[in-house]
Amino acid sequence: MEAGSREEPLIVAKDIWKIYDGGYTALSGVDLEIYGGEIHVLLGENGAGKTTLLKILSGAIRPSRGSIFIRGERKIFRSPRDALKQGISMAYQGSSLVEGLTAGENISIVARAAGINGDELGKRVMKTMEDLGYQLDLRSRVSSLSPGEKQALEVSIAINAGRLAVLMDEPTALMSTASSQLLMKLLREHADNGKALVITSHKIREVAEIGDRYTILKRGTRVATVTRRSLDGGSVIDTLIKHMSPQGLETYSLDISGAIDPGEEILYVDNASIADDRGIEVLRNTSFRLRRGEILAIVSIDGRGVKEICEAIYGLRRLRSGKIYVKPGTRIRYIPSEVSRASIPEMPVAINISMRSIIGGRISLLDLEEIVSSANRIIEASRANVPSIWKPLKSLSGGNARRVIAWREAMDNPDLLIVEEPTANLDIASSQSIAMLIRSTASRGAGVLVVTSELEDPLRIGCKWLILEDGTLLDPRSSKRVGTIPGAL
Amino acid sequence: MPARSPRLVTGLLIVVLAPLLAISILSLFSGVNAVETIYWVFWGGFSPTQIPETMLRATPILITSFGLSLAYLARIWNIGSEGQILLGAIATAWIGLHLGGLGVIGVIVSTIFGGLCGALWASIPGLLRAYRGANEVFSTLMMNYLALYLASYLLQGPLRSPTSLFPETATLSRDLWVEPLIPGTRVNAFVLLSPALIAPATYILVARSTLGIKLRVIGEGAEKARYFGIDAGKAIVATMFLSGFLAGIAGSTEVLGIHHRALPSISQGYGYLAIPVAVIASLEPRLILPLSIYLGGVVNGVEVAQMNLSIPSGASYIIQGILLIASLPMAMRR
């Protein structure tokens, strides 16, 4: 079997930078070593740079700077075909298959690019599909396959087409739990045969059991690479948290809920199921409660369900089943992740700040005095940089606009405040002040529900948090499901 | 607060130039010198002796576009004003025939009744849009034809004057006539009051009131409306009701102030001409009066030109069509 030895890495990525055309820096100087025979798991929040890094290794995109070495020899990939020729294949997130062609035709395209026999590859792909629990007819059109079948096909082709290394970006996202488990077993077999397997996944429990090494990325840089053996019994989730937030849990843990009496219940989600726009359930038969003065964060590592849960509780989205109880007259305020969903960006900052009172009141002349004083009050409290309150909201930077809307909502005396992705688009200083805002809103007696994809948010805020994975809530310490029995929380 | 937008400039150019372009092309096809036609149109519309007639025609355009500009702020594309005007006019005439002798009270009651009928007619597509998702552009346009044939039935059947040769109602009792205030013209109280009331009202409501902002939020879509706690369905019906009410009033003023009875041709396309005016007014409300007068003058001028030159009699319809096609898609684009 051709594969690198344990001592010498098979693939080395050195000082990889990627700055996209818009100026967004996805990777800033990442190093990565991949050994033959290992399963290497890339971890990180949304936007950490996992997909970008994989795409650079597979030749799909070119790095702005940096180099890739295979067995010590520098290689430049101009396209995925170049990488395939070197024995590196990739299964893309979603699918890269040609919808209008049959499965067999798609396989022969890859075979030709990789310089291997098409019939041979077809047979092996069929075998792998079978191992994953799928029956594949090579004559069926890709467009007629289910999302799960497409992903299985994408993964099966990649596994068999890559002689040296197989890169997989969220390979199990659309697969059933059973198929995912079969895939993990299969990956181990291929690794044992000497191949390098690089995988990203948001399903922490799934990869916790499979990886040989874990590389944690954060905002385009490598935080750490740890081997499985060095974990000495601690859970991968704990390690992940420790590395993603170097200060650790303790520094942030500021128990605010003890400061005031645990208040009356303000929100009760009773056995609720919530679906996204495509009809996929993002929350399944789940219950939880929130009291006055309490902050609860729900963390969805892959970002799925964040918006939908917020919308459902605010009342913008229908539940698929179950009930959400709030006391009549409960004042709910909602800070969405995008400013545009809570404002008219073309209208002046001042009008947007007073929007709720303008709309809630009777038809009358605009009370300019009141509008100006509210605007000044909110801008002062939020310390947003607003050159003129009569300029359109969209003329502000994303962070400043977000501050204005966040403070508008939080300072409107809510009983229940819903915060979606509190630190989206914000720098560290702004993120800290949003955390303060959330804490002070809770200490004034509101219940605050934070729903986010950023693991660090609950740590920064210092609040109780749960992981949302596969539509269920998990306790981050015990990895046990919570809230599936009504009132369990 | 209203910002100068490229859309406003484009819209203005369309409203000002499209009628002239249409007239020029028509002249070309009719073998008439386009410059001569345009001269007659402007003379017929804007020479001092013609101003009273122009103001007369500007009045229903102004009243109707006031209601439409509010609907368009909310991005509710009522283009059924023509039908709403017609039914408002017939309703006014019908109730007016029962209110003879009541004088001013009769005038007020029949005006409001005409408005209500226009409003109810407009509420139908409003309800269909709000609760059945039917596109109001199609439904309001279709309802113009329903209104036309309904009017035709009423005026040839149950409401037809027994003494008239034409399909029209009987003439209202004299005390319900809103008489000309300026001797030698047809300029009545409606023509004088409308600009004085509506021009500032449009400005205040569109640019300076909480309603204007609420309507804009509705125009941002149901989701954003719901975020701010607005029941989008109710708001859509209310907005349609309001714009239909004003169109109905425009019909009333034609009956009470000018014709003193209802006839099928009572609206000279005012419901269509109000559309481009309202598109602009929702962007810059201060332009509602000048543009209403401009289009009133053009319609008046085209009639004068038709009397003097061999221009086809359908010229007005062509102008209405071109204005509609040019202005509405521009307004609807996000």
Side-chain angles (χ1 to χ4, degrees):
Chain A
M1 221 44 234
E2 46 176 336
S5 71
R6 270 280 156 206
E7 288 73 38
E8 190 204 340
L10 194 60
I11 303 171
V12 175
K14 244 198 153 71
D15 195 30
I16 301 284
W17 288 72
K18 181 64 192 179
I19 300 154
Y20 283 105
D21 287 343
Y24 174 68
T25 305
L27 295 173
S28 32
V30 171
D31 296 325
L32 187 70
E33 306 81 32
I34 300 161
Y35 292 90
E38 76 166 350
I39 297 178
H40 196 129
V41 181
L42 292 183
L43 294 172
E45 301 161 26
N46 286 337
K50 302 175 303 249
T51 299
T52 303
L53 184 57
L54 285 188
K55 282 185 172 172
I56 285 172
L57 291 172
S58 78
I61 55 178
R62 297 182 69 175
S64 309
R65 220 173 78 193
S67 17
I68 296 165
F69 300 88
I70 295 180
R71 290 208 182 95
E73 203 179 312
R74 183 158 183 210
K75 301 282 180 194
I76 292 168
F77 299 147
R78 290 192 178 76
S79 70
R81 178 185 289 258
D82 288 352
L84 266 174
K85 283 220 170 73
Q86 298 292 331
I88 301 175
S89 63
M90 174 156 172
Y92 293 86
Q93 203 171 353
S95 158
S96 66
L97 302 166
V98 184
E99 295 271 323
L101 299 180
T102 65
E105 287 161 344
N106 269 286
I107 290 169
S108 59
I109 290 174
V110 176
R112 208 169 304 162
I116 52 182
N117 182 303
D119 293 339
E120 178 71 18
L121 182 62
K123 266 181 220 152
R124 281 189 290 163
V125 169
M126 296 248 282
K127 170 78 172 62
T128 306
M129 288 289 281
E130 225 167 89
D131 290 344
L132 295 178
Y134 293 94
Q135 286 300 321
L136 177 69
D137 182 348
L138 289 178
R139 290 164 304 180
S140 47
R141 253 179 223 291
V142 169
S143 54
S144 70
L145 302 178
S146 74
E149 285 173 323
K150 268 184 223 175
Q151 189 160 39
L153 179 58
E154 171 100 14
V155 170
S156 303
I157 295 175
I159 285 180
N160 292 295
R163 285 174 293 115
L164 288 185
V166 183
L167 318 173
M168 284 162 284
D169 196 5
E170 302 278 357
T172 60
L174 300 170
M175 282 187 198
S176 66
T177 315
S179 295
S180 304
Q181 282 167 356
L182 291 171
L183 177 64
M184 292 303 141
K185 229 182 264 172
L186 204 65
L187 292 186
R188 177 52 66 202
E189 283 171 28
H190 279 268
D192 288 344
N193 286 337
K195 265 189 207 176
L197 296 146
V198 186
I199 176 172
T200 72
S201 176
H202 60 268
K203 296 180 184 168
I204 300 176
R205 275 184 308 167
E206 190 175 273
V207 292
E209 284 141 35
I210 179 91
D212 296 311
R213 291 197 306 149
Y214 297 86
T215 290
I216 295 142
L217 295 177
K218 187 179 166 66
R219 292 194 185 142
T221 57
R222 176 164 77 165
V223 176
T225 296
V226 292
T227 62
R228 176 166 193 75
R229 266 162 287 169
S230 74
L231 292 180
D232 54 12
S235 86
V236 171
I237 291 172
D238 280 348
T239 312
L240 174 68
I241 292 164
K242 212 164 72 204
H243 283 287
M244 289 172 88
S245 135
Q247 296 94 323
L249 260 173
E250 266 50 58
T251 7
Y252 279 123
S253 283
L254 182 93
D255 195 359
I256 180 102
S257 45
I260 57 165
D261 283 337
E264 53 166 332
E265 196 171 283
I266 201 81
L267 170 72
Y268 175 34
V269 175
D270 180 14
N271 203 24
S273 295
I274 299 168
D276 66 13
D277 293 338
R278 292 171 302 171
I280 298 169
E281 281 195 350
V282 291
L283 191 71
R284 242 188 326 273
N285 302 332
T286 299
S287 305
F288 60 90
R289 297 166 192 271
L290 188 67
R291 295 175 178 281
R292 283 190 180 277
E294 198 177 33
I295 309 171
L296 171 66
I298 293 175
V299 181
S300 163
I301 300 291
D302 63 337
R304 247 193 273 178
V306 170
K307 181 181 166 205
E308 288 80 6
I309 290 172
C310 292
E311 286 181 341
I313 291 169
Y314 185 67
L316 295 177
R317 182 176 289 268
R318 268 199 201 141
L319 298 181
R320 180 163 276 191
S321 65
K323 284 222 165 67
I324 290 176
Y325 295 98
V326 285
K327 253 208 199 115
T330 300
R331 210 171 155 91
I332 309 180
R333 291 294 176 262
Y334 170 24
I335 307 170
S337 61
E338 296 133 302
V339 166
S340 63
R341 277 160 52 205
S343 67
I344 302 187
E346 291 75 22
M347 295 199 88
V349 176
I351 298 290
N352 273 297
I353 287 175
S354 288
M355 194 66 96
R356 283 190 182 273
S357 64
I358 287 172
I359 284 169
R362 298 193 158 279
I363 294 171
S364 66
L365 284 179
L366 291 172
D367 184 346
L368 290 185
E369 224 167 282
E370 173 64 33
I371 288 170
V372 170
S373 80
S374 304
N376 288 336
R377 188 168 60 93
I378 297 295
I379 289 165
E380 197 186 308
S382 69
R383 282 189 250 132
N385 181 13
V386 179
S388 158
I389 60 170
W390 296 111
K391 284 258 172 65
L393 183 67
K394 69 176 179 188
S395 70
L396 301 185
S397 77
N400 280 318
R402 191 100 205 291
R403 275 175 175 252
V404 166
I405 296 301
W407 263 262
R408 175 190 81 187
E409 293 296 293
M411 288 180 70
D412 201 21
N413 297 320
D415 299 308
L416 169 61
L417 179 66
I418 303 165
V419 190
E420 177 186 336
E421 301 283 9
T423 57
N425 290 324
L426 296 180
D427 55 26
I428 293 173
S430 299
S431 301
Q432 289 296 2
S433 49
I434 286 265
M436 291 282 289
L437 176 71
I438 288 170
R439 286 202 293 260
S440 67
T441 308
S443 68
R444 276 198 302 259
V448 184
L449 179 71
V450 176
V451 189
T452 178
S453 62
E454 297 272 344
L455 200 47
E456 230 181 293
D457 286 342
L459 311 177
R460 182 180 279 125
I461 297 161
C463 65
K464 188 161 77 178
W465 59 290
L466 299 169
I467 287 183
L468 174 71
E469 193 181 296
D470 254 347
T472 54
L473 293 177
L474 308 175
D475 186 309
R477 287 160 200 270
S478 61
S479 291
K480 277 202 191 105
R481 285 176 68 162
V482 292
T484 42
I485 305 152
L489 201 78
Chain B
M1 197 169 49
R4 299 276 171 283
S5 65
R7 191 181 293 217
L8 176 61
V9 177
T10 324
L12 260 178
L13 284 175
I14 288 173
V15 176
V16 174
L17 296 181
L20 304 182
L21 195 74
I23 293 163
S24 307
I25 293 171
L26 263 180
S27 306
L28 225 67
F29 282 128
S30 319
V32 180
N33 184 341
V35 178
E36 201 181 344
T37 316
I38 289 177
Y39 166 80
W40 279 110
V41 168
F42 274 94
W43 187 88
F46 304 105
S47 67
T49 52
Q50 297 294 326
I51 289 289
E53 277 300 299
T54 289
M55 288 306 293
L56 215 69
R57 289 173 184 279
T59 300
I61 300 176
L62 181 64
I63 299 172
T64 305
S65 60
F66 172 43
L68 287 183
S69 65
L70 298 176
Y72 293 177
L73 263 192
R75 302 186 71 80
I76 296 165
W77 308 111
N78 177 7
I79 58 171
S81 302
E82 188 72 0
Q84 293 147 21
I85 292 173
L86 184 55
L87 291 186
I90 290 174
T92 301
W94 175 76
I95 201 165
L97 289 170
H98 294 81
L99 296 178
L102 285 181
V104 179
I105 292 174
V107 169
I108 293 171
V109 170
S110 52
T111 306
I112 291 174
F113 185 73
L116 284 178
C117 282
L120 288 176
W121 190 252
S123 300
I124 297 169
L127 287 164
L128 289 174
R129 154 82 193 270
Y131 301 109
R132 283 287 173 270
N135 185 318
E136 76 279 12
V137 174
F138 294 110
S139 55
T140 52
L141 184 64
M142 295 303 173
M143 285 191 66
N144 279 344
Y145 295 98
L146 291 186
L148 198 65
Y149 289 112
L150 180 60
S152 177
Y153 161 73
L154 291 172
L155 294 178
Q156 296 194 36
L159 297 185
R160 181 166 184 163
S161 159
T163 58
S164 173
L165 293 173
F166 303 104
E168 57 187 25
T169 63
T171 304
L172 296 183
S173 129
R174 189 86 201 202
D175 60 296
L176 293 182
W177 293 21
V178 178
E179 302 278 6
L181 295 174
I182 300 174
T185 71
R186 298 199 282 170
V187 172
N188 55 48
F190 290 126
V191 178
L192 289 179
L193 275 178
S194 301
L197 291 177
I198 287 175
T202 312
Y203 177 71
I204 288 170
L205 285 182
V206 170
R208 287 279 176 266
S209 79
T210 58
L211 179 69
I213 290 174
K214 194 168 173 175
L215 289 169
R216 281 194 185 88
V217 172
I218 295 163
E220 294 273 311
E223 203 166 311
K224 200 176 282 182
R226 286 227 305 283
Y227 175 88
F228 286 112
I230 300 173
D231 179 339
K234 233 165 81 183
I236 288 169
V237 178
T239 311
M240 280 299 267
F241 186 91
L242 183 65
S243 60
F245 184 78
L246 284 154
I249 297 262
S252 306
T253 66
E254 291 294 292
V255 169
L256 298 168
I258 297 166
H259 301 283
H260 312 305
R261 60 183 182 274
L263 53 162
S265 61
I266 198 154
S267 176
Q268 304 276 308
Y270 301 133
Y272 291 112
L273 291 166
I275 291 167
V277 176
V279 165
I280 306 286
S282 68
L283 298 170
E284 174 49 79
R286 282 171 285 202
L287 289 174
I288 193 168
L289 183 58
L291 288 180
S292 296
I293 294 173
Y294 176 72
L295 289 186
V298 167
V299 172
N300 203 33
V302 166
E303 222 159 83
V304 173
Q306 275 168 353
M307 283 186 255
N308 292 288
L309 306 164
S310 57
I311 303 286
S313 60
S316 267
Y317 297 118
I318 294 174
I319 291 173
Q320 289 163 28
I322 287 185
L323 277 172
L324 183 66
I325 291 169
S327 64
L328 201 63
M330 182 205 73
M332 290 172 73
R333 210 179 53 222
R334 282 208 178 258

